[in-house]
Amino acid sequence: MTKVAILGFGTVGSGVYEVLKTNKSGIEKRAGQPVEVKYILDIRDFPGHPASKLFTKNFDDILNDDEISVAAEVIGGAKIAYEFTKKLLEAGKSVVTSNKELVATHGAELLEIAEKNGVSYLFEASVGGGIPIIHPIHQCLTANEISEIFGILNGTTNYILTQMIKNGKSFEAALSTAQELGYAEANPEADVEGIDACRKIAILADLAFGKELDPDKIYTEGITNIELTDVEYAEKLGSVIKLIGYCRRDGERVFARVSPMLVPKSSALSGVDDVFNAILVRGNAIGDAMFYGKGAGKLPTASAVVSDIIDAALGVSRPIKWVRTKNDIMEDIKSTKSIWFVRTDTKDKAYAKELFGNVSFTEIKEDEFAFITPLLTEKELAEKTGKLNGFKKFIRVLE
Ligand code: HSE
């Protein structure tokens, strides 16, 4: 029998309880033993809840109970969740989580503590919700040298962009709909500013490349500046705008970035709509492998948390490891190259050609035009756009 504690009874925590209950007999068969929730930790009261006897407000009940071998930390954040996780791992209990902030900021340390104590720290649910992506990278693709990972890592922003693209809604209107439907939070900052996607790409890069990136140093741009005009230009150019998390390894150095990008309709990522996520992993043996599914939501996320609970109960998980490095291993964004979509309201097309070469112009409005640049570094782009009188904005283009 494996006895489990659920830390945090919000959306994901209640989903974990529900999945363990609904799929009890199948889980018992696959885990080789019954898996039972003994505690649910939450500071709130849940009067009348059928599991009311399981609720506690005292973390020490869980920490000091030798029967608890696995805890699901679904509190979120990197403060109290960090403290609890450390204590549980040090007490010889495995911890599974959906908490991307904690994994992205303290993953190396927590994995080391888990290893020292002979237990597991598992986080399949931290990236891509219900989509299997951590195990595939860590286990199934382990024969590969992974060079690049990129994709749509945030369901909320993908929903908003889909509404802008398909229904012509403004960013503000699409955000309101997302909030009404419960996809976006009342304070949507972490999603719309790209912070959530940044944590997720940091975790994928850490896992694939073995070195911990500081998420605060990853260039992160959200979708708050995307206008319907950009969406219309993208359409005319045979593309759609998506928020893309991207990372790659260049020898010993790693580059990571989150930004909106024009994604050509020939790319499989262009058809990933609504709250769905898709992640492309590029390895030297497999080539490209794509992972697609529901990247958020109560039951998809709980599905990943519970599968980690089963692995922890079985004790079958291969230890995950990445290290903190003393040296800065991150490539400077200024020296990285992209092709760019540029919008400008100058009428001086000849000067644009002088600066950017023989570019083709796209027009959808009287007073401005747009074009796609050749491959330029961030620094070169800034220098050139600085010389355009009516420069409006640029967006990266996915090659
Ligand atoms: N807010 C996140 C998203 C939830 O929209 O993708 C899953 O991490």
Side-chain angles (χ1 to χ4, degrees):
M1 162 88 77
T2 292
K3 297 217 172 173
V4 175
I6 300 173
L7 278 55
F9 203 63
T11 307
V12 181
S14 58
V16 169
Y17 179 77
E18 195 177 320
V19 171
L20 282 170
K21 205 165 161 248
T22 312
N23 296 344
K24 193 174 188 308
S25 70
I27 288 169
E28 178 173 339
K29 278 189 207 120
R30 289 184 282 276
Q33 57 197 299
V35 176
E36 194 180 286
V37 178
K38 186 167 180 186
Y39 298 102
I40 300 171
L41 179 78
D42 205 293
I43 49 167
R44 295 165 297 176
D45 291 312
F46 295 86
H49 191 281
S52 59
K53 279 196 264 164
L54 307 182
F55 282 91
T56 176
K57 292 186 170 73
N58 185 1
F59 170 69
D60 288 341
D61 288 347
I62 296 163
L63 187 66
N64 298 328
D65 187 334
D66 290 342
E67 277 192 346
I68 295 292
S69 56
V70 185
E73 182 275 295
V74 284
I75 301 169
K79 291 194 178 114
I80 194 84
Y82 173 54
E83 197 188 299
F84 287 173
T85 301
K86 254 169 102 165
K87 285 184 175 165
L88 288 161
L89 294 171
E90 281 162 356
K93 300 178 195 300
S94 289
V95 178
V96 307
T97 190
S98 58
N99 186 341
K100 54 232 152 193
E101 183 177 354
L102 187 56
V103 179
T105 50
H106 294 290
E109 183 195 358
L110 295 170
L111 287 165
E112 201 182 316
I113 297 173
E115 195 183 0
K116 269 192 196 145
N117 289 280
V119 290
S120 301
Y121 184 51
L122 303 173
F123 42 87
E124 182 59 66
S126 65
V127 182
I131 307 171
I133 182 65
I134 302 293
H135 278 73
I137 292 177
H138 175 59
Q139 299 195 335
C140 322
L141 297 175
T142 195
N144 286 260
E145 288 302 325
I146 292 173
S147 55
E148 269 176 297
I149 303 176
F150 56 94
I152 296 165
L153 300 170
N154 182 269
T156 305
T157 46
N158 204 38
Y159 177 82
I160 293 171
L161 289 170
T162 305
Q163 287 296 309
M164 293 174 77
I165 295 162
K166 298 243 159 108
N167 298 333
K169 285 195 180 179
S170 66
F171 169 78
E172 292 75 16
L175 172 59
S176 288
T177 314
Q179 284 169 323
E180 278 159 29
L181 293 171
Y183 296 148
E185 303 197 17
N187 177 358
E189 190 190 348
D191 290 318
V192 297
E193 298 294 358
I195 301 162
D196 175 79
C198 165
R199 291 172 181 146
K200 291 168 178 169
I201 200 69
I203 294 170
L204 295 179
D206 294 345
L207 185 66
F209 308 140
K211 291 172 185 165
E212 187 161 271
L213 301 188
D214 179 351
D216 289 341
K217 293 195 178 141
I218 296 177
Y219 175 85
T220 301
E221 186 187 324
I223 62 162
T224 49
N225 289 328
I226 301 296
E227 304 159 82
L228 279 177
T229 306
D230 302 318
V231 169
E232 284 167 40
Y233 272 119
E235 171 66 29
K236 204 151 184 198
L237 289 160
S239 302
V240 288
I241 297 176
K242 297 284 183 191
L243 183 69
I244 302 292
Y246 176 87
C247 68
R248 72 161 181 269
R249 172 164 45 194
D250 289 324
E252 288 306 303
R253 299 191 70 74
V254 174
F255 175 64
R257 173 187 71 213
V258 173
S259 72
M261 295 187 93
L262 260 70
V263 176
K265 287 191 182 168
S266 55
S267 161
L269 290 177
S270 71
V272 176
D273 287 332
D274 299 318
V275 288
F276 281 82
N277 285 192
I279 304 147
L280 190 138
V281 181
R282 188 160 284 165
N284 64 349
I286 193 173
D288 288 354
M290 179 121 153
F291 300 85
Y292 171 82
K294 281 197 178 154
K298 178 175 166 171
L299 294 180
T301 309
S303 147
V305 174
V306 173
S307 82
D308 277 348
I309 291 177
I310 296 169
D311 273 5
L314 285 165
V316 292
S317 53
R318 193 185 297 179
I320 301 178
K321 190 171 183 145
W322 63 69
V323 293
R324 276 194 190 154
T325 53
K326 288 198 182 88
N327 305 330
D328 185 5
I329 52 157
M330 285 182 70
E331 257 181 55
D332 182 2
I333 187 143
K334 289 201 184 68
S335 59
T336 61
K337 287 186 174 177
S338 296
I339 58 174
W340 308 82
F341 161 79
V342 174
R343 261 175 75 190
T344 173
D345 69 7
T346 176
K347 284 282 159 203
D348 195 354
K349 291 183 175 167
Y351 189 48
K353 279 196 190 257
E354 205 178 294
L355 285 170
F356 290 92
N358 193 21
V359 291
S360 313
F361 300 111
T362 304
E363 285 174 78
I364 58 168
K365 288 173 117 184
E366 286 257 305
D367 55 350
E368 64 167 78
F369 63 92
F371 56 92
I372 304 285
T373 72
L375 206 57
L376 295 171
T377 64
E378 199 100 10
K379 192 163 169 263
E380 288 165 336
L381 181 88
E383 282 165 7
K384 288 176 193 288
T385 51
K387 291 179 187 164
L388 276 178
N389 280 330
F391 168 67
K392 281 181 175 250
K393 72 158 63 162
F394 60 73
I395 302 173
R396 291 168 186 81
V397 178
L398 187 74
E399 290 171 72

